[in-house]
């Protein structure tokens, strides 16, 4: 393939085969695909820890890795840390927005709360730590080289070193990476896109059809260009965070501060024009206004992230893009709902608690109050 394509024949064929193997997994209903995640939960962490230990052993201990001097100091170091934190948040921002696609299967609010409250920050922190140590070890293992930020590139270097042990280790760790990516692709992309499309066009689309549409778009957008360099990848994550932070801000503000946990379940599934969730011709202008406001606070900084000159203040705001977008969208939505009230709200906290055996009975009895 030509260099202008952004990839080569080997990498494109590998990507296409993975994409092709992902299609059968999209066919299964959400509650049946959980067995894939069970296998992933045992196999992938084991391979990640093995990769971590392998890199440390080849670097002759963790000491030489952690004692490497930093290359930036002062405020530059501080803002680099902030940028790294924002990139990490952006990495699981899609889970923050799309977790109801899976949390809806929980029997009680607590079932969804604690599993995510512990697993998401701890899981991402441990994964990031392993990635940092493994990437830093590449400088020790291969003297004089730049840090290899892509773990697959480091595995390729290990493979080039030769030896049956290296080939065996690379095979099992690469298989784990493929399984991890398959699970992430289904959970964060296919199911979430299918669910959103089902809500948009329920007469024509279901979760399965939406998942296949997402797969087609994923192939058409040439995603290998996003991984051509670490700078492209972090820029993409930052841009991703700009849009998702506004969505999260509106959702959190609506549920916790405007409605106080109160939902009229029957009306959520109704398209009646006099229903409390039909809003203005089926369009919730308060939500969209707040969403756009959350994007606007970061838009100038995003222009700077792609290489255009911008004021320094806008760059600092963009370094905090997720928090800025989240706070602005939340505040704007809350104020709009105060000045232009929405129906089906409660003055007190009305979320169904863990002490309720049958939540539908509570909501049915409360559906007439607001």
């Amino acid at each position: 393939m030509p260099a202008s394509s952004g990839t080569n024949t080997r990498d494109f064929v590998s990507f296409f085969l993975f994409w092709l193997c992902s299609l059968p997994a999209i066919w299964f209903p959400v509650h049946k695909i959980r067995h894939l995640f069970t296998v992933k939960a045992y196999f992938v962490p084991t391979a990640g820890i093995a990769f971590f230990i392998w890199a440390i052993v080849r670097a002759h201990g963790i000491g030489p890795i952690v004692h490497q001097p930093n290359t930036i100091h002062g405020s530059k170091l501080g803002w680099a840390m902030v940028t790294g934190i924002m990139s990490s948040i952006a990495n699981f921002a899609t889970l923050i927005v799309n977790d109801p696609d899976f949390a809806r299967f929980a029997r009680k609010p607590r079932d969804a709360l604690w599993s995510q409250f512990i697993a998401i920050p701890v899981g991402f922190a441990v994964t990031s730590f392993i990635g940092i140590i493994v990437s830093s070890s590449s400088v020790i293992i291969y003297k004089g080289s730049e840090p290899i930020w892509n773990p697959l590139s480091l595995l390729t270097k290990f493979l080039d070193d030769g030896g049956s042990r290296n080939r065996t280790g690379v095979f099992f760790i690469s298989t784990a990476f493929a399984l991890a990516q398959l699970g992430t692709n289904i959970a964060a992309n296919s199911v979430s896109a299918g669910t959103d499309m089902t809500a948009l066009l329920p007469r024509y689309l279901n979760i399965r059809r939406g998942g296949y549409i997402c797969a087609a778009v994923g192939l058409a957008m040439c995603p290998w260009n996003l991984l051509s360099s670490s700078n492209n990848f972090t820029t993409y994550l930052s841009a991703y965070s700009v849009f998702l932070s506004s969505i999260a801000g509106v959702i959190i503000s609506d549920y916790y501060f405007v409605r106080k946990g109160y939902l009229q379940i029957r009306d959520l599934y109704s398209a009646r024009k006099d229903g409390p969730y039909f809003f203005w011709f089926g369009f919730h202008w308060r939500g969209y206004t707040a969403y756009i406001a959350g994007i606007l606070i970061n838009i100038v900084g995003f222009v700077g992230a792609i290489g255009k000159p911008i004021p320094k203040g806008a760059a600092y705001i963009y370094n905090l893009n997720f928090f800025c977008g989240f706070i602005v969208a939340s505040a704007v939505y809350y104020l709009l709902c105060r000045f232009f009230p929405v129906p089906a709200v409660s003055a007190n906290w009305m979320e169904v608690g863990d002490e309720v055996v049958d939540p539908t009975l509570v909501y049915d009895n409360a559906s007439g109050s607001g």
Side-chain angles (χ1 to χ4, degrees):
M1 299 183 70
S4 59
S5 65
T7 185
N8 54 51
T9 303
R10 180 200 63 190
D11 292 346
F12 177 77
V13 171
S14 300
F15 170 80
F16 184 77
L17 290 175
F18 173 81
W19 178 85
L20 203 62
C21 293
S22 300
L23 298 182
I26 301 175
W27 179 266
F28 296 98
V30 177
H31 65 279
K32 290 185 178 180
I33 202 66
R34 71 183 188 277
H35 303 298
L36 171 66
F37 296 102
T38 302
V39 175
K40 174 176 174 282
Y42 286 102
F43 185 52
V44 174
T46 303
I49 294 172
F51 192 19
F52 175 71
I53 296 173
W54 192 11
I56 291 176
V57 170
R58 293 204 56 174
H60 304 292
I62 199 171
I65 300 173
V66 298
H67 288 108
Q68 295 179 79
N70 54 310
T71 57
I72 55 177
H73 306 272
S75 61
K76 287 186 177 181
L77 176 60
W79 280 111
M81 294 174 65
V82 170
T83 302
I85 293 172
M86 289 300 103
S87 295
S88 298
I89 294 176
N91 196 27
F92 62 83
T94 181
L95 299 179
I96 297 174
V97 176
N98 296 325
D99 65 351
D101 298 336
F102 297 92
R104 65 191 178 93
F105 292 101
R107 294 176 61 86
K108 302 175 182 176
R110 184 181 300 175
D111 296 341
L113 171 64
W114 290 109
S115 58
Q116 297 178 84
F117 187 76
I118 296 173
I120 291 179
V122 172
F124 275 93
V126 171
T127 303
S128 299
F129 175 75
I130 292 175
I132 292 169
I133 295 299
V134 168
S135 179
S136 300
S137 71
S138 65
V139 181
I140 306 298
I141 298 171
Y142 301 102
K143 299 291 185 180
S145 66
E146 293 291 324
I148 302 175
W149 67 274
N150 189 337
L152 299 180
S153 299
L154 183 57
L155 286 176
T156 302
K157 294 281 287 185
F158 285 1
L159 193 62
D160 292 339
D161 293 339
S164 58
R165 293 182 179 180
N166 284 353
R167 289 194 295 270
T168 303
V170 169
F171 172 79
F172 284 108
I173 294 174
S174 299
T175 302
F177 271 116
L179 180 60
Q181 190 58 51
L182 176 62
T184 302
N185 191 39
I186 294 172
N189 299 324
S190 300
V191 173
S192 59
T195 304
D196 293 340
M197 292 182 189
T198 299
L200 185 64
L201 296 170
R203 181 176 298 179
Y204 306 102
L205 297 176
N206 54 26
I207 294 178
R208 179 183 297 161
R209 293 173 183 174
Y212 283 117
I213 293 175
C214 177
V217 173
L219 180 63
M221 66 181 289
C222 304
W224 47 84
N225 290 323
L226 301 175
L227 297 174
S228 59
S229 70
S230 58
N231 184 56
N232 283 359
F233 186 58
T234 53
T235 300
Y236 160 73
L237 286 179
S238 297
Y240 203 48
S241 181
V242 166
F243 298 100
L244 292 183
S245 62
S246 294
I247 296 175
V250 172
I251 292 174
I252 295 297
S253 182
D254 180 73
Y255 186 77
Y256 286 98
F257 301 112
V258 175
R259 303 188 186 278
K260 293 183 171 59
Y262 175 69
L263 295 173
Q264 295 181 188
I265 299 298
R266 290 177 177 174
D267 292 313
L268 286 173
Y269 296 91
S270 171
R272 291 185 296 109
K273 294 184 178 180
D274 59 345
Y277 304 113
F278 192 78
F279 301 109
W280 183 73
F281 295 99
F283 182 81
H284 191 13
W285 64 268
R286 304 167 191 80
Y288 280 100
T289 302
Y291 169 69
I292 294 172
I295 294 175
L296 290 178
I297 189 69
N298 288 308
I299 198 67
V300 177
F302 176 66
V303 172
I306 60 177
K308 304 295 182 180
I310 59 170
K312 185 174 292 186
Y316 288 145
I317 292 175
Y318 188 72
N319 287 337
L320 297 167
N321 51 62
F322 188 90
F323 291 144
C324 291
F326 181 90
I327 292 172
V328 169
S330 298
V332 170
Y333 182 79
Y334 179 78
L335 291 174
L336 286 175
C337 290
R338 293 283 295 186
F339 286 103
F340 305 96
V342 295
V345 299
S346 173
N348 303 310
W349 183 247
M350 286 287 289
E351 183 184 71
V352 171
D354 292 329
E355 71 280 358
V356 178
V357 177
D358 189 352
T360 59
L361 296 178
V362 176
Y363 278 131
D364 288 342
N365 291 336
S367 62
S369 60

